[in-house]
Amino acid sequence: SLWPLMSLTLHLNTCLVFLILVGLSEKVLVFPYETDFSFVALIPQKEMELRAFTLCMRVATELPEERQIILFAYRTADYDELNVWREKDGRVSLSMSGDGIFFHLPPLTTFRSSLCLTWESRTGLTAFWVDGKRSTYQVYKPGHSIRPKGTVLLGQDPDKHLGGLEAMQSFVGEVTDLNMWDSVLSRSMIQAWHYGHKVLKGNIFDWSSIEYELNGNVMVVHDD
Amino acid sequence: SLWPLMSLTLHLNTCLVFLILVGLSEKVLVFPYETDFSFVALIPQKEMELRAFTLCMRVATELPEERQIILFAYRTADYDELNVWREKDGRVSLSMSGDGIFFHLPPLTTFRSSLCLTWESRTGLTAFWVDGKRSTYQVYKPGHSIRPKGTVLLGQDPDKHLGGLEAMQSFVGEVTDLNMWDSVLSRSMIQAWHYGHKVLKGNIFDWSSIEYELNGNVMVVHDD
Amino acid sequence: SLWPLMSLTLHLNTCLVFLILVGLSEKVLVFPYETDFSFVALIPQKEMELRAFTLCMRVATELPEERQIILFAYRTADYDELNVWREKDGRVSLSMSGDGIFFHLPPLTTFRSSLCLTWESRTGLTAFWVDGKRSTYQVYKPGHSIRPKGTVLLGQDPDKHLGGLEAMQSFVGEVTDLNMWDSVLSRSMIQAWHYGHKVLKGNIFDWSSIEYELNGNVMVVHDD
């Protein structure tokens, strides 16, 4: 019967429909062009009221070194709660509701890098992990909490809640295997994730069962 | 008797003779100088009417980074059907009948790089593979077809069908183990080729049984 | 009872108390900010009247390449007895009571480098060892002796005995696994230390039982 399809078409003409999809196991998200409208919203498994986290993803990009790139954006109504950027000067930054901290990491390239980020509120200790190797610790916002009830986007940086997107900050390239935990993983667990041991599943985001919404020009490609 | 040799000499004085040679197993093509007349024409095993392909070769060059280099040229009467260039800015490009796309790859060096290129018309997904590692996908000419009945050259870029060669674009260095398929190979097959598992033979070009014509100053050297 | 704590508080208000701590096994010292007051004093197991030594540590820093960084400072009343610097031009230097010698080593990065330094008075042969690989030998101060009864600092360079600190020379980053011997270790022993074979313990400093005093903003973090 054609009824289900027609019903869906009606919806699309009358309101903004987000089709929530589930699970990206062995899939890679390809953002092929610079746009101000392509992004993927990720729906967390639990509220993101966080006093510690580990965020991991594999990422590759052809974008030139001097261009700013949003790698991960979690925003509530009034705050950029947790943004990860590749900055214009090549450094990678974390910012949570204000000024960020900057790390000198090996450059992102056309080949996939595995990138993790750990932070805990108690000490403020913050580190990036590239291909399983930890950067130097920096101390960032000890005592801070990340607020819940926001929106996580890949591909764009919302300057307000779900709006204000800029092409010149958009992500172009590939993201896969994003996982997030509400605690700081140990070195051995981060290295296990890096080497692809699939037993580790994030309790905020787990790539294999992740709920997501595709917007604009984003391709879901079998990760061969 | 000297008659056969004399007869051949007569031929060479009176018309353009192409001596078709077969098979380059364990051989490397050495292009020792910058010329506008040295090239190798490759004769495909089947017509190159392609909606997908994998092209692999091993290549080494001493040419300076800022010089343009033709790496592979397939041309029909009116179109550059499939050209692979190392560009002046160091990027590697694919162009098919028009503007190309550009990839930031590790530089070609005096040491051999294994280079593959995959494209499929259905999605437009295009990637280079360097030493078995895939670059970021780019989307290029979805829906396009490569036209048959052209000519494949190594060493020169013909600006018209079999003519218009330029020394400043010529290839200087070594090429070996070129294979081409009319489909997109999987990661594991590309890595198998990279590691020299000889079981994989291209169905358009297979280095071990390839038909080719040498022109100008090109040496066929045992690949020790 | 609250008495012991109150007694300690009184002390802290009336004089400078150094709390000597012991042992940093599986710990890393994190110097999170540029300061002129954060340092760690190390108390040697034996007097540092030295005619040979091996000094090893693991070190990581985010500081920019062009900034001078003190890596190790041993000072007696009138002399900088043994200073190790990362210089403004990126070279690493050793100086003992006067002009130093300079080595071109791989840059210090956000990832940990293992760094050893060997010197013997008899020949003057001096070398750095990075990740178990020896630099070219240089000859430095044959016949010289290092004087005892000084103070070893990490994090700051004292321009006079326990004073004259400058933020622009301070260390920011991580130090761990510092060991020091009063002899020149063999290549195999240095490599054993590099690969973390814990059987090798310095007889001047042994990280697992080292006595140290924390000053200012230095964190002792479990080295995960």
Side-chain angles (χ1 to χ4, degrees), chain A residues 28 30-33 59-65 109-112 172-174 219-224, chain B residues 91 102-106 123-125 128-130 133-140 142 185-188:
Chain A
V28 57
V30 177
F31 297 77
Y33 309 112
V59 60
T61 182
E62 283 276 340
L63 286 170
E65 286 233 3
T109 72
T110 196
F111 304 120
R112 215 168 271 179
V172 182
E174 301 182 14
M219 301 166 76
V220 177
V221 176
H222 180 66
D223 183 21
D224 181 29
Chain B
R91 291 185 298 174
F102 300 84
F103 291 77
H104 292 94
L105 304 181
T123 57
L125 286 173
F128 279 92
W129 302 71
V130 181
K133 285 190 297 183
R134 180 171 64 72
S135 75
T136 305
Y137 277 127
Q138 294 191 41
V139 171
Y140 184 58
L185 263 61
S186 69
R187 174 185 299 266
S188 61

Side-chain angles (χ1 to χ4, degrees), chain B residues 94-105:
Chain B
L94 164 66
S95 54
M96 301 192 300
S97 321
D99 289 343
I101 43 169
F102 300 84
F103 291 77
H104 292 94
L105 304 181

